[in-house]
Amino acid sequence: MTVLDRREMRDEKIALLKEGRAVYAESPEFIRLIKRGIHKEDLCVTLEEINGGCWFIPENLQSNE
């Protein structure tokens, strides 16, 4: 069984947000880590919390629609 490093996964999600791509997370712990990463990087992101998870949508993505 492969053990996934949550911090590494968070860094991958933050990198996608920086590219202007929306990302999704399910677990409350992982959502918390991504929120901390967003704050640390000072990214402009909208959160859409739904049953079972949370979408993180970069604001530059929303302005393009």
Side-chain angles (χ1 to χ4, degrees):
M1 181 166 96
T2 303
V3 177
L4 300 174
D5 182 7
R6 287 190 185 118
R7 289 188 178 123
E8 190 175 309
M9 289 172 45
R10 177 209 52 208
D11 293 345
E12 291 172 4
K13 299 278 188 179
I14 296 295
L16 290 171
L17 288 169
K18 286 181 176 180
E19 292 174 7
R21 299 179 64 186
V23 298
Y24 180 76
E26 290 181 288
S27 77
E29 176 65 18
F30 194 48
I31 291 168
R32 184 187 66 79
L33 285 173
I34 293 173
K35 286 179 179 179
R36 285 181 61 192
I38 289 168
H39 180 72
K40 182 179 175 183
E41 297 287 334
D42 197 30
L43 300 175
C44 295
V45 176
T46 299
L47 280 64
E48 288 191 20
E49 296 186 36
I50 58 173
N51 290 340
C54 183
W55 280 100
F56 298 87
I57 305 167
E59 290 193 8
N60 61 343
L61 180 63
Q62 292 176 341
S63 63
N64 292 336
E65 293 179 351

PDB file of all heavy atoms in Angstrom, residues 5-19 23 30:
ATOM      1  N   ASP A   5       1.712  11.467   0.928  1.00  0.00           N
ATOM      2  CA  ASP A   5       2.096  12.584   1.770  1.00  0.00           C
ATOM      3  C   ASP A   5       1.115  13.730   1.534  1.00  0.00           C
ATOM      4  O   ASP A   5       1.045  14.277   0.430  1.00  0.00           O
ATOM      5  CB  ASP A   5       3.520  13.005   1.452  1.00  0.00           C
ATOM      6  CG  ASP A   5       4.025  14.129   2.327  1.00  0.00           C
ATOM      7  OD1 ASP A   5       3.330  14.511   3.288  1.00  0.00           O
ATOM      8  OD2 ASP A   5       5.127  14.624   2.048  1.00  0.00           O
ATOM      9  N   ARG A   6       0.356  14.087   2.568  1.00  0.00           N
ATOM     10  CA  ARG A   6      -0.662  15.134   2.421  1.00  0.00           C
ATOM     11  C   ARG A   6      -0.048  16.471   2.029  1.00  0.00           C
ATOM     12  O   ARG A   6      -0.635  17.229   1.272  1.00  0.00           O
ATOM     13  CB  ARG A   6      -1.454  15.280   3.717  1.00  0.00           C
ATOM     14  CG  ARG A   6      -2.404  14.145   3.951  1.00  0.00           C
ATOM     15  CD  ARG A   6      -3.325  14.461   5.120  1.00  0.00           C
ATOM     16  NE  ARG A   6      -4.153  13.308   5.391  1.00  0.00           N
ATOM     17  CZ  ARG A   6      -4.131  12.636   6.524  1.00  0.00           C
ATOM     18  NH1 ARG A   6      -3.342  13.007   7.493  1.00  0.00           N
ATOM     19  NH2 ARG A   6      -4.916  11.604   6.691  1.00  0.00           N
ATOM     20  N   ARG A   7       1.130  16.763   2.559  1.00  0.00           N
ATOM     21  CA  ARG A   7       1.773  18.039   2.215  1.00  0.00           C
ATOM     22  C   ARG A   7       2.175  18.068   0.746  1.00  0.00           C
ATOM     23  O   ARG A   7       2.039  19.091   0.081  1.00  0.00           O
ATOM     24  CB  ARG A   7       2.980  18.281   3.114  1.00  0.00           C
ATOM     25  CG  ARG A   7       2.572  18.603   4.520  1.00  0.00           C
ATOM     26  CD  ARG A   7       3.746  19.034   5.358  1.00  0.00           C
ATOM     27  NE  ARG A   7       3.293  19.369   6.689  1.00  0.00           N
ATOM     28  CZ  ARG A   7       3.744  18.803   7.789  1.00  0.00           C
ATOM     29  NH1 ARG A   7       4.690  17.895   7.724  1.00  0.00           N
ATOM     30  NH2 ARG A   7       3.268  19.167   8.955  1.00  0.00           N
ATOM     31  N   GLU A   8       2.644  16.944   0.249  1.00  0.00           N
ATOM     32  CA  GLU A   8       3.000  16.868  -1.170  1.00  0.00           C
ATOM     33  C   GLU A   8       1.750  17.030  -2.036  1.00  0.00           C
ATOM     34  O   GLU A   8       1.764  17.744  -3.037  1.00  0.00           O
ATOM     35  CB  GLU A   8       3.678  15.531  -1.452  1.00  0.00           C
ATOM     36  CG  GLU A   8       4.293  15.424  -2.822  1.00  0.00           C
ATOM     37  CD  GLU A   8       5.057  14.126  -2.979  1.00  0.00           C
ATOM     38  OE1 GLU A   8       5.883  13.814  -2.115  1.00  0.00           O
ATOM     39  OE2 GLU A   8       4.804  13.441  -3.993  1.00  0.00           O
ATOM     40  N   MET A   9       0.664  16.378  -1.626  1.00  0.00           N
ATOM     41  CA  MET A   9      -0.591  16.506  -2.367  1.00  0.00           C
ATOM     42  C   MET A   9      -1.092  17.943  -2.313  1.00  0.00           C
ATOM     43  O   MET A   9      -1.588  18.474  -3.308  1.00  0.00           O
ATOM     44  CB  MET A   9      -1.644  15.554  -1.790  1.00  0.00           C
ATOM     45  CG  MET A   9      -1.358  14.098  -2.076  1.00  0.00           C
ATOM     46  SD  MET A   9      -2.424  12.920  -1.226  1.00  0.00           S
ATOM     47  CE  MET A   9      -4.042  13.583  -1.414  1.00  0.00           C
ATOM     48  N   ARG A  10      -0.967  18.593  -1.129  1.00  0.00           N
ATOM     49  CA  ARG A  10      -1.365  20.000  -0.991  1.00  0.00           C
ATOM     50  C   ARG A  10      -0.566  20.871  -1.940  1.00  0.00           C
ATOM     51  O   ARG A  10      -1.121  21.720  -2.633  1.00  0.00           O
ATOM     52  CB  ARG A  10      -1.148  20.468   0.446  1.00  0.00           C
ATOM     53  CG  ARG A  10      -1.479  21.951   0.632  1.00  0.00           C
ATOM     54  CD  ARG A  10      -0.698  22.636   1.708  1.00  0.00           C
ATOM     55  NE  ARG A  10       0.729  22.443   1.555  1.00  0.00           N
ATOM     56  CZ  ARG A  10       1.586  22.456   2.565  1.00  0.00           C
ATOM     57  NH1 ARG A  10       1.166  22.629   3.792  1.00  0.00           N
ATOM     58  NH2 ARG A  10       2.868  22.291   2.349  1.00  0.00           N
ATOM     59  N   ASP A  11       0.744  20.637  -1.999  1.00  0.00           N
ATOM     60  CA  ASP A  11       1.596  21.434  -2.879  1.00  0.00           C
ATOM     61  C   ASP A  11       1.193  21.273  -4.341  1.00  0.00           C
ATOM     62  O   ASP A  11       1.224  22.238  -5.109  1.00  0.00           O
ATOM     63  CB  ASP A  11       3.064  21.063  -2.684  1.00  0.00           C
ATOM     64  CG  ASP A  11       3.595  21.459  -1.317  1.00  0.00           C
ATOM     65  OD1 ASP A  11       2.931  22.266  -0.619  1.00  0.00           O
ATOM     66  OD2 ASP A  11       4.674  20.954  -0.939  1.00  0.00           O
ATOM     67  N   GLU A  12       0.785  20.073  -4.726  1.00  0.00           N
ATOM     68  CA  GLU A  12       0.320  19.842  -6.097  1.00  0.00           C
ATOM     69  C   GLU A  12      -0.970  20.618  -6.367  1.00  0.00           C
ATOM     70  O   GLU A  12      -1.130  21.209  -7.438  1.00  0.00           O
ATOM     71  CB  GLU A  12       0.106  18.347  -6.339  1.00  0.00           C
ATOM     72  CG  GLU A  12       1.397  17.556  -6.367  1.00  0.00           C
ATOM     73  CD  GLU A  12       1.167  16.052  -6.422  1.00  0.00           C
ATOM     74  OE1 GLU A  12      -0.002  15.609  -6.520  1.00  0.00           O
ATOM     75  OE2 GLU A  12       2.167  15.323  -6.363  1.00  0.00           O
ATOM     76  N   LYS A  13      -1.883  20.621  -5.400  1.00  0.00           N
ATOM     77  CA  LYS A  13      -3.145  21.360  -5.559  1.00  0.00           C
ATOM     78  C   LYS A  13      -2.885  22.866  -5.627  1.00  0.00           C
ATOM     79  O   LYS A  13      -3.484  23.566  -6.438  1.00  0.00           O
ATOM     80  CB  LYS A  13      -4.106  21.061  -4.397  1.00  0.00           C
ATOM     81  CG  LYS A  13      -4.513  19.619  -4.277  1.00  0.00           C
ATOM     82  CD  LYS A  13      -5.619  19.260  -5.207  1.00  0.00           C
ATOM     83  CE  LYS A  13      -6.118  17.847  -4.915  1.00  0.00           C
ATOM     84  NZ  LYS A  13      -7.202  17.446  -5.779  1.00  0.00           N
ATOM     85  N   ILE A  14      -1.980  23.381  -4.784  1.00  0.00           N
ATOM     86  CA  ILE A  14      -1.638  24.800  -4.800  1.00  0.00           C
ATOM     87  C   ILE A  14      -1.024  25.174  -6.144  1.00  0.00           C
ATOM     88  O   ILE A  14      -1.337  26.231  -6.712  1.00  0.00           O
ATOM     89  CB  ILE A  14      -0.692  25.159  -3.630  1.00  0.00           C
ATOM     90  CG1 ILE A  14      -1.382  24.943  -2.286  1.00  0.00           C
ATOM     91  CG2 ILE A  14      -0.164  26.582  -3.762  1.00  0.00           C
ATOM     92  CD1 ILE A  14      -2.562  25.833  -2.005  1.00  0.00           C
ATOM     93  N   ALA A  15      -0.178  24.302  -6.685  1.00  0.00           N
ATOM     94  CA  ALA A  15       0.428  24.563  -7.993  1.00  0.00           C
ATOM     95  C   ALA A  15      -0.650  24.656  -9.073  1.00  0.00           C
ATOM     96  O   ALA A  15      -0.581  25.525  -9.956  1.00  0.00           O
ATOM     97  CB  ALA A  15       1.449  23.473  -8.341  1.00  0.00           C
ATOM     98  N   LEU A  16      -1.655  23.792  -9.005  1.00  0.00           N
ATOM     99  CA  LEU A  16      -2.758  23.850  -9.972  1.00  0.00           C
ATOM    100  C   LEU A  16      -3.544  25.149  -9.822  1.00  0.00           C
ATOM    101  O   LEU A  16      -3.936  25.760 -10.823  1.00  0.00           O
ATOM    102  CB  LEU A  16      -3.686  22.643  -9.792  1.00  0.00           C
ATOM    103  CG  LEU A  16      -3.113  21.299 -10.212  1.00  0.00           C
ATOM    104  CD1 LEU A  16      -4.042  20.164  -9.780  1.00  0.00           C
ATOM    105  CD2 LEU A  16      -2.876  21.254 -11.709  1.00  0.00           C
ATOM    106  N   LEU A  17      -3.772  25.580  -8.581  1.00  0.00           N
ATOM    107  CA  LEU A  17      -4.470  26.850  -8.359  1.00  0.00           C
ATOM    108  C   LEU A  17      -3.680  28.008  -8.951  1.00  0.00           C
ATOM    109  O   LEU A  17      -4.253  28.916  -9.553  1.00  0.00           O
ATOM    110  CB  LEU A  17      -4.702  27.076  -6.865  1.00  0.00           C
ATOM    111  CG  LEU A  17      -5.753  26.190  -6.208  1.00  0.00           C
ATOM    112  CD1 LEU A  17      -5.701  26.331  -4.695  1.00  0.00           C
ATOM    113  CD2 LEU A  17      -7.139  26.528  -6.731  1.00  0.00           C
ATOM    114  N   LYS A  18      -2.357  27.983  -8.799  1.00  0.00           N
ATOM    115  CA  LYS A  18      -1.511  29.041  -9.354  1.00  0.00           C
ATOM    116  C   LYS A  18      -1.585  29.065 -10.875  1.00  0.00           C
ATOM    117  O   LYS A  18      -1.421  30.120 -11.491  1.00  0.00           O
ATOM    118  CB  LYS A  18      -0.056  28.844  -8.926  1.00  0.00           C
ATOM    119  CG  LYS A  18       0.187  29.203  -7.482  1.00  0.00           C
ATOM    120  CD  LYS A  18       1.654  28.991  -7.156  1.00  0.00           C
ATOM    121  CE  LYS A  18       2.005  29.411  -5.768  1.00  0.00           C
ATOM    122  NZ  LYS A  18       3.434  29.193  -5.474  1.00  0.00           N
ATOM    123  N   GLU A  19      -1.848  27.908 -11.492  1.00  0.00           N
ATOM    124  CA  GLU A  19      -2.002  27.823 -12.946  1.00  0.00           C
ATOM    125  C   GLU A  19      -3.391  28.272 -13.387  1.00  0.00           C
ATOM    126  O   GLU A  19      -3.687  28.302 -14.581  1.00  0.00           O
ATOM    127  CB  GLU A  19      -1.779  26.385 -13.417  1.00  0.00           C
ATOM    128  CG  GLU A  19      -0.365  25.896 -13.263  1.00  0.00           C
ATOM    129  CD  GLU A  19      -0.222  24.424 -13.615  1.00  0.00           C
ATOM    130  OE1 GLU A  19      -1.208  23.806 -14.103  1.00  0.00           O
ATOM    131  OE2 GLU A  19       0.864  23.874 -13.400  1.00  0.00           O
ATOM    132  N   VAL A  23      -9.557  23.151  -8.083  1.00  0.00           N
ATOM    133  CA  VAL A  23      -9.235  21.868  -7.472  1.00  0.00           C
ATOM    134  C   VAL A  23     -10.313  21.503  -6.462  1.00  0.00           C
ATOM    135  O   VAL A  23     -11.057  22.353  -5.986  1.00  0.00           O
ATOM    136  CB  VAL A  23      -7.841  21.872  -6.801  1.00  0.00           C
ATOM    137  CG1 VAL A  23      -6.756  22.137  -7.822  1.00  0.00           C
ATOM    138  CG2 VAL A  23      -7.762  22.869  -5.671  1.00  0.00           C
ATOM    139  N   PHE A  30      -7.570  17.632   4.810  1.00  0.00           N
ATOM    140  CA  PHE A  30      -6.927  18.061   3.568  1.00  0.00           C
ATOM    141  C   PHE A  30      -7.427  19.452   3.158  1.00  0.00           C
ATOM    142  O   PHE A  30      -6.659  20.282   2.679  1.00  0.00           O
ATOM    143  CB  PHE A  30      -7.160  17.032   2.467  1.00  0.00           C
ATOM    144  CG  PHE A  30      -6.283  17.217   1.273  1.00  0.00           C
ATOM    145  CD1 PHE A  30      -4.914  17.404   1.397  1.00  0.00           C
ATOM    146  CD2 PHE A  30      -6.818  17.220   0.000  1.00  0.00           C
ATOM    147  CE1 PHE A  30      -4.107  17.585   0.296  1.00  0.00           C
ATOM    148  CE2 PHE A  30      -6.016  17.401  -1.108  1.00  0.00           C
ATOM    149  CZ  PHE A  30      -4.666  17.579  -0.956  1.00  0.00           C
TER     150      PHE A  30
END
